[in-house]
Amino acid sequence: MPKPSFTLQRRLLLTILTLSMALNNGLGQDWSAPLPPELPWHGLSENLIVSKDDPWITPAERSGLTRTPRYGETVAWLEKLAAASSQVKLISLGKSPELRDIWLAVVTKEGVATVADLKANGRPTLLAQAGIHPGEIDGKDAGLMILRDLTVAGAHPRLLDSVNLLLIPILNVDGHERLAPFGRINQRGPVETGWRTTGGNLNLNRDYAKLDTREMRLLVQALNQWEPDLYLDIHVTDGIDYQYDITFGYIGRHGLSPESARWLDEWFTPAVTAALKARGHIPGPLVFAIDDQDPSAGLLDWTATPRFSNGYGDVRHLPTVLVENHSLKPFRQRVLGTYVLLEASLRLLATHGEDLQRAILADRTREPAMVPLDWKQTPGPSGQIEFLGVQWRTYPSAVTGQQQVRWTGELVTLQVPYRRFTEPAATARRPRAYWIPPAWDDVIDRLAVHGIYMDRMQRPREVEVEMIRFSSYQLADEAYEGHIRVTATGVVERRREIFPAGSVRIPTDQPLGDLAVVLLEPDSPDSYFQWGFFLEIFQRSEYVEQYVMIPLAQRMIDTTPNLRARFRAKLADDPDFAADPKARLRWFYEMTPYHDTRYRLYPVGWER
Ligand SMILES: [Zn+2]
């Protein structure tokens, strides 16, 4: 059968050609990433890897922790585990846009499958989330190992007597399946990774506040339902070279959850640090270099706003730890360190979870009168921090035409400046409530998905409120995460405002009151206003013809001497105005009752 075999040959040739084009981009190049030298590492945590003949070996372990399994293989392994152990239940949070289930593994002593049963067992609950950035997948493969060890392997007897574990192995399931060896140029494995953003090219770790994506809405609904006590969002970092393999951090006591931050300071950081060191790892604080071309310039203690997991956790009083494994450490070392961190977190919750639950309650009922919305560098001299760095040299680069950093792989301990960004850059006075008209139902829906309590009006309501009318605004030059962001300044007006039927009143004396403030205050960088959900108020919506406006303006001048004087003064003082016929007419029009009284008026009211 010459014809089919010819077709087959041609198809094979085409495949090889396409593949080699993709790999070489026509340049005939070696595309392996020229990473800085690998630092040698061995640690006791290597004993966590089971032997090759263990029936419960994970797909990543089978590869010597060099590969991460695809979505299908991951789910198949979890289903096998759930079939073998009644303590593991797999629950779908819902489907992604590409129709993949986002799985939650619920691991409890009794094998509970519902929120009600989880709450009934009364134990503290850890939620570990992997794959919000699928290229940074360590949490999934460490999670599978610890699920096995907690259940079928019996490696941690009695731990589930005192704590529950929820694991989201892959949050961005669609990005996870955009698999390639080229997803993470700065990272030492696994061999192939998924892609950072969703199918719609949105970054889920910028979507916690605005909730554009289905994935994030499903996650936030799960946070509201399952109410974990501690939330770990597991990433792999980029940035400069250093010795730490596992870094982690959270919003400190300056934020909106100071009691939870105190618990994290007093219990979590020491316990997790000690556990990691005992197994041979090199834990450290989150590293944000001030200048990635000069590590001696120091580090930032940056405060995330609620578009990020840790900022969101702080604002909604869910203790949230951002875990950033170092991208230049091998996948194997990172997965093992993540396992140790997960185990230490579970052990700590088992012994000190009740203290954390008390802290959460205190944060939820704190209701500060002034709510910080944004953060800036704390004034005064910066402190110093000991930094376990890697030596670097600079060299002249023909590519950039300037001096560049090259990491040498030698270990160095430095004292470097530590600049804290813990000073509020914008603050809002907490109102008694916010009023939102029903025309802004998209915003109302998003607030409801967050779990914010609201009263919906069945009839129109006349309310004494403060509102802001913007006098100037600035649109961003470029789209960011699917939005044209906006900032504005304005003047507050006291108004008796009629809010139509369907309006909502959002009281701020509720557990998520701080979150409502941060989402609704226009000075907040993660408010719906700044994300561009209210751009409609900046457009004029009714028109006036010149043949009407000119004689009307003339009548205004003729009958009002005071106005005539102001007009003359304006013409004299403002040459641009004087030269612009439309601006001159607009000046008069805006003084008439025909002018749109809602133009540039932020429709959300403050009830003081
Ligand atoms: Zn990340």
Side-chain angles (χ1 to χ4, degrees):
M1 300 201 293
K3 210 169 177 184
S5 89
F6 171 73
T7 314
L8 198 70
Q9 268 181 14
R10 211 173 56 168
R11 228 182 248 166
L12 242 153
L13 194 67
L14 259 172
T15 310
I16 291 166
L17 261 171
T18 317
L19 258 172
S20 71
M21 291 262 294
L23 288 172
N24 297 329
N25 209 10
L27 293 174
Q29 266 290 328
D30 164 16
W31 290 116
S32 61
L35 297 174
E38 182 175 333
L39 307 181
W41 177 82
H42 283 289
L44 278 178
S45 62
E46 291 175 295
N47 298 333
L48 294 166
I49 304 170
V50 297
S51 66
K52 288 280 177 201
D53 56 0
D54 190 301
W56 287 106
I57 192 166
T58 67
E61 284 174 308
R62 200 177 298 122
S63 73
L65 294 183
T66 60
R67 288 183 176 274
T68 193
R70 298 197 66 144
Y71 174 87
E73 196 180 355
T74 306
V75 176
W77 191 92
L78 283 166
E79 283 172 342
K80 200 178 98 184
L81 183 71
S85 169
S86 62
Q87 296 183 320
V88 179
K89 294 286 182 286
L90 295 180
I91 289 164
S92 172
L93 302 183
K95 285 191 190 293
S96 71
E98 295 177 16
L99 302 181
R100 292 183 184 92
D101 285 293
I102 299 174
W103 290 105
L104 173 74
V106 180
V107 188
T108 62
K109 187 185 176 190
E110 309 84 353
V112 305
T114 66
V115 170
D117 287 345
L118 187 92
K119 290 189 177 167
N121 84 23
R123 296 180 202 115
T125 299
L126 174 71
L127 170 61
Q129 169 185 291
I132 190 171
H133 293 152
E136 313 165 10
I137 201 62
D138 309 6
K140 176 187 73 180
D141 293 301
L144 264 49
M145 288 169 68
I146 203 161
L147 252 57
R148 167 197 62 212
D149 290 353
L150 284 167
T151 57
V152 288
H156 304 300
R158 312 202 66 80
L159 187 49
L160 288 179
D161 288 357
S162 331
V163 66
N164 305 311
L165 172 61
L166 306 177
L167 174 75
I168 297 175
I170 311 167
L171 179 61
N172 180 2
V173 286
D174 296 343
H176 186 275
E177 292 305 284
R178 185 176 161 187
L179 197 77
F182 306 113
R184 291 279 293 168
I185 190 170
N186 309 313
Q187 185 173 301
R188 200 161 249 127
V191 176
E192 289 184 303
T193 70
W195 192 254
R196 183 177 185 79
T197 48
T198 63
N201 204 30
L202 288 177
N203 184 339
L204 294 181
N205 201 26
R206 305 293 181 272
D207 196 33
Y208 277 88
K210 59 184 171 62
L211 296 181
D212 284 332
T213 59
R214 195 177 304 164
E215 293 89 337
M216 195 49 65
R217 287 173 182 229
L218 293 171
L219 172 70
V220 165
Q221 279 164 6
L223 296 179
N224 280 320
Q225 289 165 0
W226 295 89
E227 286 195 282
D229 300 294
L230 181 61
Y231 177 31
L232 304 180
D233 179 28
I234 303 166
H235 292 247
V236 179
T237 188
D238 296 309
I240 65 173
D241 200 3
Y242 45 76
Q243 297 174 43
Y244 310 115
D245 54 0
I246 308 293
T247 73
F248 58 89
Y250 40 83
I251 309 300
R253 299 183 204 184
H254 59 283
L256 281 159
S257 297
E259 292 304 318
S260 300
R262 183 190 307 276
W263 185 91
L264 291 164
D265 282 346
E266 289 177 357
W267 297 107
F268 184 86
T269 297
V272 169
T273 301
L276 282 163
K277 283 184 176 169
R279 304 276 188 101
H281 290 275
I282 312 109
L286 289 176
V287 175
F288 300 103
I290 290 170
D291 179 354
D292 63 5
Q293 291 298 303
D294 179 13
S296 65
L299 306 179
L300 296 177
D301 177 14
W302 165 67
T303 302
T305 59
R307 74 188 64 172
F308 302 95
S309 59
N310 48 339
Y312 182 68
D314 178 58
V315 172
R316 65 170 291 148
H317 317 303
L318 164 57
T320 301
V321 178
L322 172 63
V323 180
E324 290 278 5
N325 299 336
H326 189 216
S327 62
L328 294 175
K329 304 301 182 287
F331 180 55
R332 181 171 181 274
Q333 181 180 353
R334 298 189 331 249
V335 169
L336 295 174
T338 307
Y339 182 111
V340 174
L341 179 136
L342 289 171
E343 184 192 335
S345 304
L346 286 168
R347 291 194 182 284
L348 179 66
L349 269 189
T351 55
H352 291 79
E354 284 181 19
D355 293 345
L356 180 59
Q357 288 170 337
R358 275 192 289 276
I360 293 168
L361 197 63
D363 289 331
R364 281 180 177 176
T365 48
R366 199 170 136 260
E367 296 174 14
M370 299 301 290
V371 180
L373 308 170
D374 195 13
W375 303 93
K376 63 182 179 188
Q377 192 178 335
T378 308
S382 50
Q384 293 271 312
I385 190 171
E386 186 184 82
F387 178 56
L388 300 182
V390 166
Q391 191 56 265
W392 68 97
R393 304 264 180 273
T394 55
Y395 70 100
S397 163
V399 175
T400 65
Q402 60 180 23
Q403 291 291 118
Q404 298 293 153
V405 161
R406 174 180 285 145
W407 304 99
T408 69
E410 302 156 75
L411 311 187
V412 58
T413 302
L414 304 165
Q415 290 290 327
V416 298
Y418 193 47
R419 288 199 207 146
R420 291 180 181 274
F421 275 64
T422 53
E423 187 82 359
T427 310
R429 190 157 59 89
R430 187 189 204 86
R432 195 190 307 272
Y434 293 95
W435 285 83
I436 312 177
W440 308 93
D441 56 352
D442 181 25
V443 168
I444 294 170
D445 286 348
R446 288 168 200 248
L447 294 165
V449 173
H450 279 294
I452 292 171
Y453 173 82
M454 57 186 75
D455 289 312
R456 199 173 285 269
M457 302 300 130
Q458 298 306 312
R459 283 184 204 89
R461 284 282 298 272
E462 190 173 346
V463 193
E464 184 98 37
V465 289
E466 284 178 9
M467 295 177 80
I468 187 165
R469 189 182 297 277
F470 296 116
S471 40
S472 68
Y473 67 99
Q474 186 70 47
L475 295 177
D477 295 334
E478 289 181 10
Y480 174 63
E481 293 297 322
H483 291 263
I484 301 293
R485 289 182 49 83
V486 61
T487 53
T489 53
V491 179
V492 172
E493 300 175 3
R494 287 193 143 284
R495 301 167 66 96
R496 279 202 76 79
E497 184 80 7
I498 294 171
F499 284 89
S503 296
V504 297
R505 178 184 184 272
I506 297 178
T508 61
D509 59 341
Q510 58 168 309
L512 296 180
D514 292 349
L515 179 61
V517 173
V518 169
L519 295 175
L520 289 172
E521 289 291 333
D523 284 342
S524 164
D526 274 329
S527 62
Y528 288 111
F529 175 75
Q530 289 204 19
W531 277 113
F533 285 82
F534 291 94
L535 294 181
E536 297 87 337
I537 66 172
F538 295 111
Q539 74 195 22
R540 291 177 183 277
S541 53
E542 189 50 271
Y543 304 95
V544 57
E545 297 299 347
Q546 297 193 8
Y547 59 75
V548 178
M549 195 56 234
I550 292 168
L552 179 58
Q554 189 62 53
R555 192 202 297 162
M556 290 161 76
I557 293 172
D558 293 345
T559 56
T560 326
N562 169 291
L563 183 66
R564 185 163 58 233
R566 276 167 54 205
F567 182 51
R568 285 194 184 136
K570 178 100 177 141
L571 290 175
D573 294 349
D574 188 345
D576 289 344
F577 175 77
D580 184 345
K582 281 190 180 159
R584 289 165 65 146
L585 273 182
R586 199 160 54 233
W587 190 78
F588 286 100
Y589 174 59
E590 286 178 0
M591 271 181 267
T592 72
Y594 296 101
H595 173 249
D596 178 8
T597 55
R598 307 199 73 81
Y599 180 53
R600 293 190 180 185
L601 184 70
Y602 181 49
V604 178
W606 288 276
E607 181 187 318
R608 294 290 182 192

